[in-house]
Amino acid sequence: MVRTRLAGWSWLLLAGLLIGFPPGVGRCMADAGQDATLVPLSLMLGAHPKARFAGYYLAKELGYYREAGIELRIEQAASGRSPLEALREGRADIALLWLPTAVQARAEGVPLVNLAQILRHSSLVIIARASSGVRAVSDLDGRRLGIPVDERRLPVEILRRKMGLGFTSVPQSASVNLFLRGGVEAVAGLWSDDYHLLLNAGLDPEDLAVLPLTELGVDLPEDGLYALESTRNQRSGPLAAFLTATRRGWEAAAEDPASALDLVLGIQRAARIPANRAHERWMLGLMLDALGPSSPDGWDWRLKREELARARDLLSETGLLDAKAGALTGLGDW
């Protein structure tokens, strides 16, 4: 149990070069590299410490990355620190990005490759008070919609353009305080995070109107692990070993969620981030549900062509992907 520790090859194209490591790749590399000099790698996550990232924290805490021959540094994308910019500027070797962000960046010339697609569906929802009269997405016209300054902006902009909506976008921090204080009439939040925060704040489910983007034609994959082509070419072995260790971390979280929560809460408290076990339990449970059951070789984290095509099509149809992107980036077989 985790608690005792705590006390064929196939390249898939994105613009010709978004790739994925198949399940199980890197196990032999990890075993072979245990006694070698550790390879330094840095990972930038998409937000401050939370249970959404429990697998990475566990893999590091339990020594799985070191066993794989890697000295991993985990950084958080907080206070305006963008994972995409960290990759672009060489300040991170691996970053957690949502697929639409990665597709748009690749089309703009950032040489990203997809190493693993962790989450295949959107957990993004539009939340309004039931008393506001918002019952359908068209009811957002003329309203103020709070949108955190993070990866939520792009799917919400796709929704706006796709549906021809006329709401006013209000940039906000990654919290629900502006909504609770009446500064906005609706908020773009995560079912695994913001929705439950509102319940914790004293609202009941019947007090809220929830519009999932999955039901509005904007179901786009979220957390994926990305690197630059140069990193992939120069460190393919360590990257594959990193993925194997990451799988082990998520397997440990699934095996012993209580210990995973202990670790996450400890990291949050050390970082002086308000910690709430009930909320992190909700988030971790939904994260493990989204991962689904693991096969003997682990989860299949290869990015699928249909996921890629859906993201490309939605970005193109809404004018968020340059019309010349195909020619510029060699979309080829998408």
Side-chain angles (χ1 to χ4, degrees):
M1 296 294 286
V2 176
R3 188 176 298 279
T4 60
R5 299 291 302 275
L6 288 175
W9 285 87
S10 160
W11 304 105
L12 180 62
L13 305 178
L14 166 53
L17 281 165
L18 265 175
I19 59 101
F21 290 107
V25 170
R27 294 187 188 276
C28 60
M29 296 179 187
D31 294 339
Q34 287 182 19
D35 297 327
T37 301
L38 297 178
V39 175
L41 287 176
S42 57
L43 166 67
M44 180 169 276
L45 301 175
H48 62 71
K50 57 181 63 180
R52 187 179 182 110
F53 311 132
Y56 310 102
Y57 298 136
L58 273 173
K60 184 174 176 66
E61 176 71 14
L62 298 177
Y64 296 158
Y65 290 123
R66 292 182 66 85
E67 289 175 18
I70 297 164
E71 186 66 59
L72 185 72
R73 184 177 79 253
I74 298 178
E75 298 186 6
Q76 326 297 335
S79 302
R81 302 173 70 197
S82 160
L84 177 59
E85 288 305 311
L87 274 186
R88 192 199 307 261
E89 297 169 5
R91 292 183 288 107
D93 300 304
I94 307 162
L96 204 64
L97 303 174
W98 288 12
L99 183 57
T101 298
V103 172
Q104 189 182 64
R106 178 75 201 204
E108 293 172 352
V110 183
L112 294 177
V113 292
N114 178 285
L115 306 176
Q117 188 57 52
I118 310 300
L119 297 180
R120 300 200 178 278
H121 295 283
S122 175
S123 64
L124 193 55
V125 294
I126 305 297
I127 307 170
R129 292 183 185 271
S131 59
S132 70
V134 172
R135 296 288 182 271
V137 69
S138 58
D139 296 328
L140 293 172
D141 280 342
R143 314 277 185 151
R144 298 183 306 278
L145 176 62
I147 307 174
V149 184
D150 58 22
E151 299 217 62
R152 282 171 266 199
R153 291 177 295 171
L154 190 51
V156 172
E157 183 59 24
I158 291 173
L159 177 68
R160 179 213 290 274
R161 298 187 184 198
K162 177 181 172 65
M163 299 293 190
L165 301 175
F167 56 77
T168 298
S169 297
V170 179
Q172 64 172 60
S173 63
S175 80
V176 294
N177 291 338
L178 190 62
F179 176 79
L180 287 171
R181 294 171 182 169
V184 293
E185 295 155 286
V187 63
L190 297 174
W191 179 255
S192 58
D193 195 349
D194 305 274
Y195 173 76
H196 193 255
L197 286 174
L198 291 173
L199 300 185
N200 278 348
L203 295 172
D204 292 321
E206 55 268 26
D207 296 329
L208 300 171
V210 180
L211 305 173
L213 265 66
T214 56
E215 298 177 7
L216 299 172
V218 188
D219 184 11
L220 293 169
E222 294 178 349
D223 294 10
L225 292 165
Y226 292 84
L228 297 182
E229 288 176 9
S230 56
T231 305
R232 186 276 313 275
N233 294 339
Q234 297 165 11
R235 297 185 171 187
S236 60
L239 289 176
F242 161 81
L243 292 181
T244 296
T246 298
R247 291 180 193 280
R248 293 181 67 193
W250 279 113
E251 288 166 356
E255 178 187 353
D256 190 355
S259 292
L261 288 174
D262 288 342
L263 177 60
V264 170
L265 290 167
I267 293 171
Q268 289 176 320
R269 287 165 181 153
R272 297 187 178 180
I273 294 169
N276 181 308
R277 190 178 189 89
H279 178 61
E280 298 304 321
R281 184 187 300 114
W282 164 277
M283 188 185 300
L284 180 59
L286 290 179
M287 185 70 185
L288 294 175
D289 286 346
L291 286 172
S294 174
S295 72
D297 288 327
W299 292 280
D300 183 357
W301 283 345
R302 289 171 293 185
L303 182 62
K304 297 181 179 179
R305 292 183 185 275
E306 56 267 29
E307 295 167 339
L308 216 45
R310 185 166 69 249
R312 176 206 60 194
D313 291 347
L314 280 170
L315 286 163
S316 297
E317 292 165 5
T318 52
L320 293 166
L321 199 64
D322 193 310
K324 298 179 181 179
L328 290 172
T329 57
L331 296 177
D333 243 358
W334 269 29

